Amino acid sequence: MTSLSAYLETRATTDLARAIAGLATAAVRISAEIRAPHSVLDAVAGDVNADGDTQKALDVLADEIILEAARDAGAAAYMSEEREAAIPLADDGSLIIASDPLDGSSNIGVNVSIGTIFSILPTDGSGLIDGRRQLAAGVFVYGPQTTLLVTVGVGVASFRMDADGDFRLIDDTVRIPAASGEFAINAGNQRHWLPPVQRYIADCVAGADGPRGKNFGQRWVGSLVADAWRIFCRGGVFLYLADRRDGFADGRLRLVYEAAPMALLVEQAGGRATDGTRDILDITPTAVHQRVPLVFGSCEEVDEVGRQHAAG
Ligand code: AHG
Ligand code: MN
Ligand code: MN
C-alpha cells in the first residue's frame, strides 16, 4: 500500500514533502502520548493560551512537538493556537507552518477523538494571506484509528497510521458527497443563533414534512477534526457561525489554523466552506488568532445556508 512519502514524492516539492513528513512524525508522537497510560493528559497546564482558553497538558505537549517538527523541517516560522505570535525559525526557510496542535481539547479526558490541524504557507505576507495561497493543509485525527486527510493543492488523500507508525493510503480521491441528511451544530446555543441559522436548522428538523422534504439526523462530536472526518466520509454540514453571545460575533473557530486549512481540504474534496456568505479561502486574515464564522461540508447544504443568509 502506498506510503505517505511515496504519495508526496510525485506531488509535492522537496520542502513541502519534508514538512508534511515531519508533521506526520509529530502526529505519531502525539498519538502515542494519547494512548500511553498517563492520567495527566487532561490536567490543566496552569496557563491560558493567546485566545484565553485554559491549556491542558496535552495542548502544551502537542504544541511543543509540532514546533519541533517545524524547526526540523527548516520552516521559516511557526504559528500556533497556543502561541501569542509567530515564532521565527530558519532565516532561509521557504515555508510557514500554522497549526492547531490539539483540536477538541474538551474531549481529551473523555476518550473521544481529537486531532491536529495544519496549514503550510509560503513565506510572503508573514503567513497572513488568503487561504487559496496555502501550499498544503491537513488534519490528523487521533481516534479509534489515527488518520490523516491531506491536500497539497490538488485533490485530497486519506491515510491511516499502521502499527509501525507509517501512514498508508486509504483513498487518493477523497470526495465529500454533494447531498447529505446530517447536520452538526451545538444545539445548546440555539437561543443565541441569528435568523439565517434558526431558519436553516428549523427546516432540517422539520424533516420530510418541511420545506426540505427529507429527514435529517444531527451529530456533534465537539472536536472539529472528528466532525470533519465524518463529513469527508459520508457528507454532512458543520456550522459554527456568528451568534448573539458576547465574543461570538465571528463564531468560535480561528481562520489561520482551523478554518482556512479545513476549507482548502473541503474545496479540494468537492465540498464548500463559507462564513455564511463568502468563501473562507477568499478571506485575508489580519491577525493570527482572528476568528471566523464557519460552515462547511456537502455543497447542497452549504448553499442552502448561503440562501438563508442572502434572505437576511
Ligand atoms: P480547541 O480544542 O482547539 O480549542 O477547539 C475546539 C473547537 C472545535 O474543535 C469544536 O468544533 C468546537 O470548539 C466546539 O465548541 P463548543 O464547545 O462551543 O461546542
Ligand atoms: Mn481547535
Ligand atoms: Mn487546540
Side-chain angles (χ1 to χ4, degrees), residues 49 53 59 81-82 99-105 115 254 257-258:
N49 67 18
D53 296 337
D59 285 317
E81 182 189 359
E82 307 303 335
S99 179
D100 176 355
L102 207 287
D103 175 72
S105 55
R254 279 58 59 107
Y257 44 80
E258 289 180 319

Side-chain angles (χ1 to χ4, degrees), residues 204-220:
C204 291
V205 171
D209 302 331
R212 300 297 307 278
K214 67 173 184 178
N215 294 322
F216 284 80
Q218 184 266 349
R219 295 283 184 280
W220 182 255

Side-chain angles (χ1 to χ4, degrees), residues 274-294:
T274 76
D275 66 355
T277 308
R278 289 172 300 173
D279 285 349
I280 294 292
L281 294 180
D282 288 333
I283 303 172
T284 303
T286 53
V288 179
H289 301 290
Q290 178 176 336
R291 292 179 190 234
V292 72
L294 176 64

